């Protein structure tokens, strides 16, 4: 008898029946930027736009029509202040965008990013006190912000500030406001990554001083990521996240092995922009590279993938034989 693994690679029919990881449109989430000041294409992220809050419904409909079921919403407000109070305004940018999207496409799931960095004038994810990020004061504002997003009609909140106790505070605030059924997707292990650079241009959220290393995780650590995820599950997170994705596939795989809850991975702006730049130069085939990357994230163990390629990937998957 000869050992012949190639038998199961002989043609697409047999390859497809033994395939271990599958990419489906249903697992993709498209991030969306909304603004009422500075709409237009994002230079560092070709193909991605800051959408006028009054017109975002149209894009939401296009996304839904491609087969993507969920968006992750980021707001870019006109006004900022030291404490990020704009984040929970009743008629704030995200709150209005949620209403517009839900009106245009009621069946599209709207997940909102809950953080202060777009709303603080210094660009940090929390309130600064004596040169440091004040954890507990920030958590209070995050909880109010989460409730305001749900009041506006969002389906799920995704806290991303990396403050201690943010998940339990948000859970308590939601429950207190009667939103016991609203799930929390926590950015549990969010690294202090250099891959967020294009996003900060898009969201105008670059910190004016210092960096985010006192709250986002050290890029060398994996045990610490497991600890953060564990804490978030204890605090009531329904879905946990690893971010970025491609440079952190080992973290996704460890989390998958260890925790029996839905796992999301956020393939961030830098991952998008690298592929776009190489594709523009003719150095990579965009479609094949993107589908391979997204499949790799699934193979590592993610159930949900947040990616700027969601809409394009859905179209490509629709066209697959
Ligand atoms: C806000 C937030 C960031 C990203 C998602 N939510 C920026 C940051 O932490 O600096 C990054 C997303 C991306 O790069 O695509 N806290």
């Amino acid at each position: 008898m000869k050992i012949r693994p190639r038998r199961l690679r002989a043609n697409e029919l047999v390859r497809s029946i033994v395939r271990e990881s599958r990419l489906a449109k249903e697992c993709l989430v498209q991030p969306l930027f909304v603004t009422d000041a500075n709409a237009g294409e994002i230079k560092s992220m070709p193909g991605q736009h800051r959408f006028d809050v009054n017109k975002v419904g149209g894009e939401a409909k296009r996304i839904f029509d491609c087969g993507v079921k969920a968006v992750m919403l980021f707001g870019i407000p006109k006004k900022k202040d030291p404490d990020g109070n704009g984040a929970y305004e009743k008629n704030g940018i995200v709150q209005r965008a949620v209403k517009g999207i839900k009106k245009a496409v009621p069946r599209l799931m709207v997940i909102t990013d809950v953080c202060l960095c777009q709303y603080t004038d210094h660009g940090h994810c929390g309130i600064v006190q004596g040169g440091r990020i004040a954890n507990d004061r920030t958590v209070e504002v995050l909880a109010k912000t989460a409730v305001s997003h749900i009041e506006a009609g969002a389906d799920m909140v995704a806290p991303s500030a990396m403050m201690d106790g943010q998940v339990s505070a948000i859970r308590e605030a939601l429950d207190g406001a009667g939103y016991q059924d609203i799930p929390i997707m926590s950015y549990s292990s969010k690294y202090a990554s250099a891959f967020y650079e294009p996003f900060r241009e898009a969201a105008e959220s670059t910190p004016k001083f210092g960096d985010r290393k006192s709250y986002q995780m050290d890029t060398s650590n994996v045990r610490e990521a497991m600890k953060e995820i564990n804490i978030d599950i204890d605090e009531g997170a329904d879905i946990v996240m690893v971010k970025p994705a491609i440079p952190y596939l080992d973290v996704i795989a460890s989390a998958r092995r260890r925790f029996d809850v839905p796992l999301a991975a956020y393939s961030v702006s830098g991952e998008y922009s690298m592929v776009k730049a190489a594709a523009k130069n003719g150095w990579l085939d965009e479609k094949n590279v993107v589908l391979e990357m997204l499949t790799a994230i699934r193979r590592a163990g993610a159930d949900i993938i947040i990616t700027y390629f969601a809409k394009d990937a859905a179209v490509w998957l629709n066209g697959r034989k």
Side-chain angles (χ1 to χ4, degrees):
M1 187 197 69
K2 283 251 169 59
I3 295 175
R4 292 189 185 279
R6 285 186 55 199
R7 243 181 243 134
L8 296 181
R9 299 203 289 269
N11 56 57
E12 178 54 20
L13 201 56
V14 70
R15 285 193 296 274
S16 73
I17 203 168
V18 298
R19 194 155 285 144
E20 298 174 39
S21 308
R22 290 175 206 275
L23 194 55
K25 286 173 289 182
E26 289 75 10
C27 63
L28 303 175
V29 179
Q30 174 74 48
L32 263 187
F33 298 101
V34 288
T35 175
D36 43 19
N38 193 13
E41 193 172 31
I42 299 155
K43 269 208 216 81
S44 55
M45 301 179 72
Q48 299 299 310
H49 297 78
R50 280 184 290 250
F51 290 96
D52 183 319
V53 63
N54 300 312
K55 297 186 191 142
V56 68
E59 176 63 7
K61 187 154 187 327
R62 285 189 289 278
I63 291 169
F64 188 73
D65 287 344
C66 293
V68 174
K69 307 273 189 234
V71 293
M72 170 80 89
L73 210 52
F74 295 94
I76 305 140
K78 250 196 221 134
K79 282 183 311 210
K80 305 189 186 225
D81 70 25
D83 295 349
N85 288 312
Y88 58 86
E89 258 176 35
K90 194 159 189 287
N91 277 314
I93 182 76
V94 168
Q95 291 79 355
R96 275 179 291 143
V98 170
K99 285 189 193 127
I101 293 172
K102 277 293 180 186
K103 197 164 161 220
V105 212
R107 283 161 57 221
L108 181 68
M109 178 186 287
V110 178
I111 309 168
T112 56
D113 181 88
V114 177
C115 192
L116 301 188
C117 60
Q118 284 106 266
Y119 302 89
T120 53
D121 51 14
H122 45 73
H124 277 288
C125 301
I127 296 167
V128 178
Q129 220 171 3
R132 305 174 65 129
I133 311 299
N135 192 88
D136 296 3
R137 276 185 64 201
T138 300
V139 165
E140 276 174 39
V141 181
L142 293 171
K144 275 200 247 180
T145 302
V147 171
S148 78
H149 290 175
I150 300 306
E151 275 169 353
D155 299 288
M156 195 186 295
V157 287
S160 72
M162 288 299 281
M163 295 297 128
D164 293 339
Q166 61 181 13
V167 172
S168 59
I170 289 173
R171 185 70 272 157
E172 247 171 64
L174 290 176
D175 290 355
Y179 299 119
Q180 292 91 344
D181 293 333
I182 293 291
I184 300 174
M185 176 196 281
S186 178
Y187 285 68
S188 309
S189 52
K190 176 174 178 182
Y191 286 89
S193 169
F195 285 86
Y196 306 152
E197 197 75 34
F199 173 96
R200 291 179 188 169
E201 186 215 304
E204 297 163 359
S205 63
T206 307
K208 298 265 178 334
F209 61 88
D211 53 38
R212 302 206 198 286
K213 290 180 182 167
S214 79
Y215 41 105
Q216 299 181 350
M217 283 186 3
D218 190 298
T219 57
S220 312
N221 296 351
V222 63
R223 288 197 301 265
E224 188 184 9
M226 299 307 110
K227 174 167 138 186
E228 285 281 7
I229 293 171
N230 208 0
I231 292 170
D232 279 3
I233 294 171
D234 280 351
E235 288 188 19
D238 300 282
I239 301 172
V240 295
M241 191 198 296
V242 173
K243 173 185 174 190
I246 290 288
Y248 296 82
L249 291 177
D250 59 322
V251 182
I252 297 172
S254 299
R256 172 71 301 147
R257 279 195 296 273
R258 193 132 152 197
F259 302 107
D260 291 321
V261 300
L263 178 61
Y266 195 143
S267 183
V268 301
S269 55
E271 299 173 58
Y272 175 86
S273 301
M274 287 195 303
V275 174
K276 280 289 181 184
K280 193 169 159 211
N281 279 295
W283 297 336
L284 285 177
D285 179 274
E286 182 175 341
K287 172 182 164 182
N288 287 330
V289 164
V290 170
L291 293 177
E292 182 176 333
M293 283 169 67
L294 297 178
T295 304
I297 297 168
R298 293 275 294 154
R299 193 191 62 229
D303 303 295
I304 300 162
I305 308 175
I306 301 148
T307 168
Y308 299 94
F309 287 113
K311 193 170 79 169
D312 292 338
V315 171
W316 293 327
L317 291 169
N318 288 337
R320 245 188 198 176
K321 292 277 164 333

